[in-house]
Amino acid sequence: MSGVLFDRIALIGIGLIGSSIARDAKALGLARNVVVSTRSAETLARAEELHLGTSYVASAAEAVDDADLVVVSVPVGASEAVAQQIASHLKPGAIVTDVGSTKASVIAQMAPHMPDGVHFIPGHPLAGTEKSGPDAGFEGLFRGRWCIFTPLPDTDPQALGKLKAFWTALGSRIDEMDPQHHDKVLAIVSHLPHIIAYNIVGTADDLETVTESEVIKYSASGFRDFTRLAASDPTMWRDVCLHNREAILEMLARFSEDLAYLQRAIRWGEGDKLFELFTRTRAVRRSIIEAGQDVDVPDFGRHALDKK
Amino acid sequence: MSGVLFDRIALIGIGLIGSSIARDAKALGLARNVVVSTRSAETLARAEELHLGTSYVASAAEAVDDADLVVVSVPVGASEAVAQQIASHLKPGAIVTDVGSTKASVIAQMAPHMPDGVHFIPGHPLAGTEKSGPDAGFEGLFRGRWCIFTPLPDTDPQALGKLKAFWTALGSRIDEMDPQHHDKVLAIVSHLPHIIAYNIVGTADDLETVTESEVIKYSASGFRDFTRLAASDPTMWRDVCLHNREAILEMLARFSEDLAYLQRAIRWGEGDKLFELFTRTRAVRRSIIEAGQDVDVPDFGRHALDKK
């Protein structure tokens, strides 16, 4: 139990991230009231069935009334619309944060609408799964995961401290960087991997010489790994692609350049080049496991679950 | 217990695959004698420490003496050398099989050396993890996984039946196809995914604007998935690239073409094209789970193991 940090939290958006925050806030008693708001009537009803908050309203404007903390968890392309809806209803001194995977764009969309006296602090918890919606969230999603803040130059240190305390209570490890650097880092560690995964699954799906049922049947030999990321929420990822365009295009260009080099090595039978790369990449995996950023068991530990 | 199927099995190569066959054969009592052979003195000593067989010899020629079944589990580029070494020592009526991920090349390397009266039946169990070596194998690796045979036109049905019975005893599901089709199927479900994974990990490792420690620290947001395949055995994968060149280059060309389309959609902000692809790929994941080819839990079930 961390104790009450906010009297009233408004959650705008109640998908995987929003509903995980709700579950943790409830379990840890971090707020007296948790107002849940989402555009979809169906999702709002489901959130209520799941007892995720203490009240439920369709209107984001209404939800933020009197809230001390507002967490916007929507696809990044919807950030400006939400900012416009809530702006004039925010209480002086309120903290507004988000969870979006692109920061420069979210800041450009939201900051101009924030009234004086409201603390807008962009944030990004690096957590999630390939599932989406209020049923996909769970307690402890953020435990041990990084939450990156990209505060604006005039951010109030006390408000930032309070927001950090909230995410620390959820179990997150806290980091700070500037929005542009955040967007470059995320382009390589998250956006490019998702785009590549979507792409390869699309390529396999389109083949004429190998049937789709063969692809599915034999997918355990490597392909299935990519299908997990490629099963992520299409709206969220469309928006990420559109809102971190420059950094993503830069990473894509480098990826393609490297792939052309590899392709040429395969064509000309240059085994030493292949061997050099394949050895170097093995070391990266080792570093990730040593850093505690992945499980240290073969096949993600999937083998044990695999067998009925 | 399946009972004895062969009096004497010779395992040429005792890495992840060879040692898993050894463990299963022992546990299930499939052979009276299991002769283990590998070029590396160190690996051979380790195999003996692990009690993987009933005898251990460095020479492949010696190992196959009097063997009823010979299983060659070496990097595909070493197939011809092994065939040359064992050819004149094979007993008439012996079955020789392999486990290589490329079939046309293995056939071209081995078939010409096989003496009359010996049954050479190429095979490929679609099983493994990113680990390698005799310690990486385990009982049950092949359970529920496909084993594809690519028999030559003059294959003796009785010998094929006997080999299938062996793999069925290991828990495999059996399939047959022609070598060229096998190589195309594997190019998309296995070889391309590995090459793409190796490539993206290399790209991330080479960046100047994002440090390697940042890539590692934040890898849980997608990147780490790729590092698993990119940690696979470099020798094995160098050989696969060199020995399934045509099919791999074809798949790489299609992948790059599709990626250029995606890149263009990102550059020009064509959200509908992105959304269409991202929706279609989600369905592929669902089919794989419905076909029992991956675990039906978020994040490969890694979340539970993730938290210390």
Side-chain angles (χ1 to χ4, degrees):
Chain A
M1 281 299 175
S2 295
V4 173
L5 292 174
F6 294 97
D7 186 60
R8 192 180 193 83
I9 297 178
L11 300 174
I12 314 299
I14 195 75
L16 169 71
I17 299 295
S19 74
S20 295
I21 297 173
R23 286 176 170 95
D24 278 343
K26 188 177 178 176
L28 300 163
L30 302 180
R32 283 194 190 83
N33 302 286
V34 176
V35 191
V36 173
S37 174
T38 175
R39 280 192 317 180
S40 151
E42 200 189 322
T43 308
L44 194 63
R46 184 62 189 149
E48 190 162 2
E49 274 172 32
L50 293 168
H51 305 290
L52 294 176
T54 53
S55 62
Y56 307 85
V57 293
S59 150
E62 204 180 310
V64 304
D65 253 346
D66 215 33
D68 309 288
L69 173 66
V70 176
V71 186
V72 179
S73 315
V74 301
V76 290
S79 306
E80 180 153 33
V82 169
Q84 285 170 332
Q85 286 158 33
I86 63 174
S88 63
H89 298 262
L90 292 164
K91 142 170 129 173
I95 297 171
V96 177
T97 191
D98 78 308
V99 301
S101 190
T102 76
K103 297 271 60 88
S105 161
V106 167
I107 292 168
Q109 291 180 69
M110 295 189 72
H113 300 285
M114 292 296 114
D116 286 344
V118 163
H119 306 290
F120 171 53
I121 307 172
H124 179 206
L126 275 60
T129 75
E130 70 275 23
K131 307 286 183 184
S132 46
D135 285 280
F138 53 90
E139 263 179 58
L141 172 62
F142 308 106
R143 210 175 298 146
R145 299 268 73 95
W146 291 99
C147 184
I148 302 176
F149 294 102
T150 61
L152 306 178
D154 60 351
T155 297
D156 176 48
Q158 228 181 323
L160 180 58
K162 218 169 161 196
L163 186 58
K164 285 185 179 173
F166 179 74
W167 281 99
T168 303
L170 301 187
S172 287
R173 302 158 76 183
I174 305 293
D175 248 334
E176 260 185 61
M177 52 180 81
D178 76 72
Q180 285 69 29
H181 188 63
H182 168 278
D183 289 357
K184 260 197 208 302
V185 171
L186 269 289
I188 188 68
V189 298
S190 176
H191 306 169
L192 185 65
H194 279 81
I195 290 166
I196 294 305
Y198 279 123
N199 193 68
I200 196 171
V201 175
T203 301
D205 197 34
D206 284 344
L207 292 175
E208 307 88 19
T209 48
V210 178
T211 66
E212 198 191 326
S213 72
E214 285 176 316
V215 168
I216 288 162
K217 192 171 169 185
Y218 305 122
S219 61
S221 32
F223 180 73
R224 65 174 175 175
D225 276 24
F226 292 76
T227 62
R228 187 183 82 77
L229 292 183
S232 303
D233 185 50
T235 305
M236 171 186 164
W237 282 97
R238 177 200 62 198
D239 281 9
V240 166
C241 288
L242 299 178
H243 290 270
N244 195 22
R245 194 177 65 166
E246 294 312 318
I248 289 173
L249 289 175
E250 183 191 328
M251 297 306 167
L252 270 172
R254 297 190 69 130
F255 172 87
S256 295
E257 190 178 302
D258 292 343
L259 192 60
Y261 173 87
L262 200 50
Q263 188 169 334
R264 195 174 185 282
I266 292 170
R267 187 178 303 281
W268 294 99
E270 298 173 324
D272 51 338
K273 286 184 181 166
L274 301 173
F275 190 81
E276 185 276 323
L277 173 66
F278 298 174
T279 305
R280 191 153 60 90
T281 54
R282 201 171 214 192
V284 176
R285 174 80 185 163
R286 247 190 325 267
S287 303
I288 285 175
I289 288 172
E290 281 163 15
Q293 290 301 312
D294 206 347
V295 293
D296 186 17
V297 285
D299 212 3
F300 303 128
R302 188 160 47 186
H303 202 267
L305 296 166
D306 233 3
K307 311 293 167 183
K308 319 272 136 72
Chain B
M1 279 301 175
S2 296
V4 173
L5 292 174
F6 293 98
D7 186 60
R8 192 182 194 82
I9 296 179
L11 300 175
I12 313 298
I14 196 73
L16 168 72
I17 299 295
S19 75
S20 295
I21 296 174
R23 286 174 170 94
D24 278 341
K26 188 177 179 177
L28 300 163
L30 301 181
R32 282 194 191 83
N33 301 286
V34 176
V35 190
V36 173
S37 173
T38 174
R39 279 192 317 181
S40 150
E42 200 189 322
T43 308
L44 193 64
R46 183 63 189 150
E48 189 162 3
E49 274 172 31
L50 293 169
H51 306 293
L52 294 176
T54 52
S55 61
Y56 307 86
V57 293
S59 148
E62 205 180 311
V64 304
D65 254 345
D66 214 33
D68 309 287
L69 172 67
V70 176
V71 186
V72 179
S73 314
V74 301
V76 289
S79 305
E80 180 153 33
V82 169
Q84 284 170 330
Q85 287 157 33
I86 63 174
S88 62
H89 298 261
L90 292 164
K91 140 169 132 173
I95 296 171
V96 176
T97 190
D98 79 309
V99 300
S101 191
T102 75
K103 296 270 62 87
S105 162
V106 167
I107 292 169
Q109 290 180 67
M110 294 188 71
H113 300 284
M114 292 296 113
D116 286 345
V118 163
H119 307 289
F120 171 53
I121 308 172
H124 179 207
L126 275 59
T129 75
E130 70 275 23
K131 307 286 182 182
S132 47
D135 285 280
F138 53 90
E139 263 178 57
L141 172 63
F142 307 105
R143 210 175 299 145
R145 300 267 73 96
W146 291 100
C147 184
I148 303 175
F149 294 102
T150 61
L152 305 179
D154 60 350
T155 297
D156 175 48
Q158 227 182 323
L160 181 58
K162 218 170 163 196
L163 186 58
K164 285 184 178 176
F166 179 74
W167 280 98
T168 302
L170 302 187
S172 287
R173 301 158 76 184
I174 305 294
D175 249 334
E176 260 186 61
M177 51 180 83
D178 76 71
Q180 284 69 27
H181 189 64
H182 167 278
D183 289 359
K184 260 197 210 302
V185 171
L186 268 289
I188 188 68
V189 299
S190 176
H191 306 168
L192 185 64
H194 279 81
I195 290 166
I196 294 305
Y198 280 123
N199 194 67
I200 196 171
V201 176
T203 300
D205 197 35
D206 283 343
L207 292 175
E208 306 88 19
T209 49
V210 178
T211 66
E212 197 190 328
S213 73
E214 285 175 316
V215 168
I216 288 162
K217 192 169 168 185
Y218 305 123
S219 61
S221 31
F223 179 74
R224 65 174 174 176
D225 276 23
F226 292 76
T227 61
R228 186 183 81 78
L229 292 183
S232 303
D233 186 51
T235 306
M236 171 186 166
W237 283 97
R238 177 200 61 200
D239 281 8
V240 167
C241 289
L242 300 177
H243 290 270
N244 195 21
R245 195 177 65 164
E246 293 312 319
I248 289 172
L249 288 175
E250 183 192 328
M251 297 305 168
L252 270 173
R254 298 190 69 128
F255 172 87
S256 295
E257 190 177 303
D258 291 343
L259 191 61
Y261 173 86
L262 200 49
Q263 187 169 334
R264 196 175 183 283
I266 292 170
R267 188 178 302 281
W268 295 100
E270 298 172 326
D272 51 338
K273 286 186 181 164
L274 302 173
F275 190 81
E276 185 275 323
L277 173 65
F278 299 174
T279 305
R280 191 153 59 91
T281 53
R282 202 172 213 189
V284 176
R285 173 79 186 164
R286 246 188 329 266
S287 304
I288 284 175
I289 288 172
E290 280 161 17
Q293 291 301 312
D294 206 347
V295 294
D296 186 17
V297 286
D299 211 5
F300 304 127
R302 186 160 50 183
H303 203 268
L305 296 166
D306 233 3
K307 311 295 167 180
K308 317 274 139 67

